[in-house]
Amino acid sequence: MVQVLLSNNLYLGQEIMGHSEICVRRDHFLSGFTWMALSSPSCTHIDGVKKLKGLRYRNMSSQIVGKFSQNNQDISQEFQLPSAYESAMEALSTLITQKKRNGTSAISGPNQKLDRMLRYIKILGLEEKIADLKIIHVAGTKGKGSTCAFSEAILRECGFRTGLFTSPHLIDVRERYRLDGMDICQENFLQYFWDCWNQLKANISEDLPMPPLFQFLTVLAFKIFVSEKVDVAIIEVGLGGRLDSTNVIKEPVVCGITSLGMDHMETLGDTLGQIASHKAGILKPQIPAFSVPQLSEAMEVLQERANALMIPLKVVAPLTLEKLNGTRLSLSGDHQLSNAALAVSLCKSWLRSTGNWNRLFEDAYEENSLPEQFLRGLSAARLSGRAQIVVDPLINASGGNKRLSGGLTFYLDGAHSPESMNACARWFSAAAVERKDLSLSSVFSEVETMDRAWTNGNIKHCHNQESEEILKRILLFNCMDARDPQILLPKLVDTCASSGIYFSKAIFVPSISAYTKVTSATSTIPSYTPGKDLSWQFNLQRIWERVIHGKDVLDQNHKINASAGLPPREFLYEETSHCSPEDRYFTSSAVFPSLPLTINWLRDCVRENPSLRLQVLVTGSLHLVGDVLKLLRR
């Protein structure tokens, strides 16, 4: 029996514990049978996937069950909630107080945000209950989400009921709230959402308005985890640490600091020391604290804060392959060895502090090895949009023994800082070369395709290759104007080039998601918005051409009317050396007016040429990555 885990959050290929190459869309299952999966015990249905009653939480990720049912009524629940859910998204959208992502919050002052957070929590009656949550609190610049995902998976494999709060979401806001490794179901989300909303709405005043978006989402996380009676809550800091909305946590069980770097400088400061000072703000008296190795400027600040609190700050070395004992991390990239090591230390500390370590492992555990539950967790953790590979579900098709189209594979990583871009480039360089060994001409059944799945870049090979295949590597890029593309783009190009990886083309697009509105996975996506300002994308193109050619080939005021049409298919095959400022579309780059048009254009290119293989790196913004995932899901 094919064993799969189905969730409403992403199409099937992204929800089988992170196995993102599986390209069967959910609507393929609507004729004849329904997939059932382990899930939160409090949900009658998980977005139309019927729950298996009476199951405990132990080792859920390694006990995935697929069950056939001829009763299509099991999935009808999914289609009863859209209007109510969209209403919740509209309500959430009213809480956005900033005009753009790097804007200034409506709540100013060093203590006002946390003071209000405490008042919101008191209104909801959560003050004492939060103190009873056994929390792991994680801050940092890079790797927070990965560390939290590893920690959640490890403790779930140890048999505990887990709650995980992360940000941002990529497709649907429910991604921020995981219970036992699954996104919270729509039913429960709506119940907790309106409970919080109505109570807060009834108590607002002139000096206590409704909370801004992230504060509300954080309060909602506490409400969910308290109500669901989780054994452990893993909480990722949103921004910074000291003044972050999550820092109302007074007594976590353990705190962790991931790798620090230069990001969000408009809020946290323009030196590594200033940024480290904000991150160190989550450390608490008498609470164990762990950090990955840091640059000296950051480590000095962290250590100074730990000394002031009279707590030891333990620095965790990256995991070694020997310690992993042949286990492959489910999140790929060398940097994940540090994130996984931090998660291991956080989980060990949590287990010891809560009195569970000796109960679970007694004397059987050797200090230089990892328990089997830890290894299973490290191999099962998932995190969308970070070093994730998705084969386009509409293109990966064949007829008989004849390939009907070329291949289109998306490499997704939301890197948006110099350090994370370097890690992204190293991952893509390795994954893109490894994927050369995969043949597009092989014909698979659905079951075979599932069996060939790999997680976040971990590939199972086949060896049937075609020498006539045309391989093109494309960069699909956008970033916020708060980032510095003059640092990000050269870092990406240089790091890839050092591994012998070069981009045939670069495409610059605006993101779909708007900071002024919260949308759901089913919200309408316009193919093209006339009159959209593409000035920032043309600026990115100028920088790219300068990086590639070593000089400016575009006048500062020179803009091409991208809305006049998309490049001809020949654009993909033209050599970069033929680039000319007079060309309507530069040989090495182009600005596209919308992301949906871009995806369709790439699909059309590979449909008309069965020999063409496109490897598309999507990076620069988690919001762009989320938009691509949303489009591929559809």
Side-chain angles (χ1 to χ4, degrees):
M1 177 182 292
V2 181
Q3 294 184 321
V4 297
L5 177 63
L6 178 59
S7 165
N8 184 53
N9 181 39
L10 296 176
Y11 69 87
L12 178 63
Q14 291 149 351
E15 284 305 304
I16 303 180
M17 304 313 296
H19 288 222
S20 52
E21 189 182 13
I22 300 175
C23 303
V24 184
R25 290 183 56 171
R26 184 162 27 115
D27 48 345
H28 290 181
F29 295 96
L30 300 188
S31 56
F33 55 88
T34 302
W35 292 85
M36 302 170 66
L38 301 179
S39 188
S40 168
S42 62
C43 283
T44 303
H45 292 74
I46 295 298
D47 301 338
V49 183
K50 193 174 181 181
K51 144 186 187 322
L52 301 180
K53 296 281 188 182
L55 293 171
R56 281 295 295 166
Y57 325 117
R58 180 179 298 273
N59 303 339
M60 292 183 66
S61 67
S62 58
Q63 298 177 4
I64 303 166
V65 176
K67 181 175 180 180
F68 295 106
S69 167
Q70 295 298 325
N71 186 1
N72 285 337
Q73 292 179 351
D74 289 342
I75 61 173
S76 62
Q77 181 71 21
E78 178 182 358
F79 305 102
Q80 297 174 5
L81 297 175
S83 60
Y85 194 65
E86 288 300 325
S87 295
M89 297 304 101
E90 291 176 6
L92 273 178
S93 297
T94 67
L95 302 181
I96 298 173
T97 58
Q98 300 167 214
K99 293 184 178 180
K100 56 182 182 177
R101 291 188 177 93
N102 60 325
T104 303
S105 173
I107 294 181
S108 57
N111 300 313
Q112 193 173 7
K113 180 196 290 186
L114 294 182
D115 287 344
R116 288 188 175 179
M117 277 292 296
L118 291 172
R119 293 173 68 183
Y120 297 135
I121 287 169
K122 191 171 183 179
I123 289 171
L124 296 174
L126 297 174
E127 198 167 14
E128 294 182 1
K129 296 175 181 178
I130 290 175
D132 293 334
L133 285 175
K134 294 178 174 60
I135 293 173
I136 296 175
H137 201 191
V138 180
T141 304
K142 307 182 301 296
K144 298 192 301 290
S146 299
T147 299
C148 288
F150 280 129
S151 299
E152 185 278 329
I154 289 171
L155 292 177
R156 176 159 40 90
E157 290 289 347
C158 289
F160 296 98
R161 178 152 169 73
T162 59
L164 173 63
F165 176 58
T166 60
S167 59
H169 64 271
L170 298 184
I171 294 180
D172 196 291
V173 72
R174 292 182 298 111
E175 297 168 34
R176 296 176 184 249
Y177 311 100
R178 284 195 209 164
L179 298 168
D180 295 322
M182 296 283 290
D183 299 346
I184 186 171
C185 64
Q186 281 193 10
E187 280 182 291
N188 282 4
F189 176 86
L190 288 173
Q191 175 187 335
Y192 297 132
F193 173 86
W194 289 117
D195 191 11
C196 288
W197 182 275
N198 293 332
Q199 288 189 64
L200 293 175
K201 201 75 173 177
N203 287 274
I204 61 174
S205 61
E206 187 174 342
D207 69 327
L208 188 69
M210 285 292 284
L213 179 63
F214 186 73
Q215 289 186 41
F216 182 90
L217 295 175
T218 303
V219 170
L220 180 57
F222 294 133
K223 172 70 174 178
I224 291 171
F225 296 154
V226 165
S227 300
E228 292 287 332
K229 296 180 173 58
V230 299
D231 298 319
V232 56
I234 300 101
I235 306 293
E236 177 188 352
V237 166
L239 176 63
R242 184 174 71 249
L243 302 179
D244 185 70
S245 299
T246 65
N247 209 28
V248 292
I249 300 168
K250 296 179 180 178
E251 294 185 8
V253 174
V254 61
C255 295
I257 308 290
T258 66
S259 182
L260 301 182
M262 305 300 291
D263 198 15
H264 297 292
M265 293 178 288
E266 71 284 351
T267 303
L268 304 180
D270 55 8
T271 70
L272 195 55
Q274 290 173 328
I275 291 172
S277 178
H278 276 276
K279 309 293 184 179
I282 72 164
L283 304 184
K284 303 294 189 301
Q286 301 180 320
I287 303 301
F290 297 85
S291 171
V292 301
Q294 309 283 358
L295 294 175
S296 58
E297 183 181 356
M299 185 57 71
E300 288 172 5
V301 173
L302 297 181
Q303 194 62 62
E304 182 180 344
R305 171 67 177 169
N307 292 341
L309 296 172
M310 293 184 290
I311 59 173
L313 176 66
K314 298 181 181 179
V315 181
V316 181
L319 286 180
T320 62
L321 297 179
E322 180 182 5
K323 200 161 189 176
L324 286 171
N325 193 30
T327 299
R328 193 166 189 177
L329 298 180
S330 58
L331 306 180
S332 68
D334 293 342
H335 58 290
Q336 295 294 359
L337 293 170
S338 288
N339 298 329
L342 180 58
V344 165
S345 294
L346 293 174
C347 291
K348 285 182 181 178
S349 179
W350 187 91
L351 288 166
R352 290 183 173 120
S353 296
T354 56
N356 286 293
W357 179 265
N358 291 334
R359 178 180 66 82
L360 284 174
F361 304 114
E362 299 177 346
D363 299 327
Y365 169 72
E366 298 180 7
E367 186 62 33
N368 291 327
S369 64
L370 293 176
E372 181 62 29
Q373 293 93 323
F374 278 53
L375 294 174
R376 286 203 304 267
L378 293 174
S379 66
R382 63 185 179 89
L383 192 65
S384 293
R386 283 79 163 181
Q388 181 179 9
I389 307 176
V390 179
V391 175
D392 190 317
L394 297 186
I395 294 300
N396 189 30
S398 57
N401 292 319
K402 181 180 179 182
R403 190 195 308 167
L404 300 179
S405 70
L408 179 56
T409 304
F410 291 90
Y411 297 72
L412 302 139
D413 192 277
H416 51 265
S417 70
E419 296 84 1
S420 59
M421 189 60 71
N422 185 54
C424 168
R426 294 199 311 270
W427 161 72
F428 176 69
S429 298
V433 169
E434 192 172 10
R435 188 145 179 86
K436 274 185 175 181
D437 294 333
L438 291 176
S439 169
L440 289 176
S441 60
S442 298
V443 179
F444 316 119
S445 67
E446 282 184 356
V447 172
E448 287 172 329
T449 302
M450 291 177 182
D451 187 55
R452 300 168 65 82
W454 38 265
T455 303
N456 284 15
N458 297 337
I459 302 168
K460 292 183 180 180
H461 295 278
C462 64
H463 303 285
N464 184 12
Q465 293 180 292
E466 291 188 8
S467 58
E468 73 274 12
E469 288 177 349
I470 303 169
L471 176 63
K472 297 286 184 178
R473 296 187 175 107
I474 311 296
L475 173 65
L476 184 57
F477 188 91
N478 192 34
C479 67
M480 292 166 48
D481 57 11
R483 314 297 179 195
D484 189 351
Q486 298 189 76
I487 296 177
L488 298 180
L489 289 173
K491 177 75 70 176
L492 173 64
V493 170
D494 292 345
T495 304
C496 286
S498 67
S499 299
I501 298 297
Y502 301 92
F503 294 97
S504 302
K505 308 294 173 186
I507 296 173
F508 302 98
V509 293
S511 297
I512 299 170
S513 55
Y515 189 56
T516 55
K517 185 172 177 59
V518 180
T519 59
S520 73
T522 57
S523 298
T524 302
I525 299 176
S527 294
Y528 170 59
T529 304
K532 191 173 185 68
D533 184 8
L534 300 173
S535 300
W536 178 246
Q537 284 67 44
F538 284 113
N539 181 54
L540 295 174
Q541 184 189 31
R542 274 192 295 270
I543 295 170
W544 175 263
E545 294 295 337
R546 189 185 308 139
V547 171
I548 297 300
H549 298 287
K551 62 181 180 179
D552 285 318
V553 294
L554 257 177
D555 183 83
Q556 184 68 24
N557 298 317
H558 179 66
K559 293 182 181 179
I560 302 170
N561 182 14
S563 63
L566 301 177
R569 308 282 192 271
E570 291 74 22
F571 167 73
L572 276 179
Y573 304 99
E574 294 172 348
E575 297 296 329
T576 300
S577 58
H578 297 161
C579 181
S580 168
E582 290 75 29
D583 291 343
R584 170 172 163 72
Y585 296 101
F586 282 78
T587 307
S588 57
S589 65
V591 171
F592 279 47
S594 80
L595 185 58
L597 290 177
T598 304
I599 301 297
N600 288 335
W601 185 86
L602 292 169
R603 285 170 168 165
D604 289 342
C605 288
V606 296
R607 281 185 181 120
E608 73 174 18
N609 187 348
S611 297
L612 182 62
R613 290 182 58 196
L614 297 184
Q615 295 179 326
V616 183
L617 174 62
V618 183
T619 190
S621 165
L622 275 169
H623 304 283
L624 176 64
V625 166
D627 291 340
V628 170
L629 284 172
K630 186 180 292 188
L631 287 168
L632 294 182
R633 178 181 184 268
R634 297 184 178 197

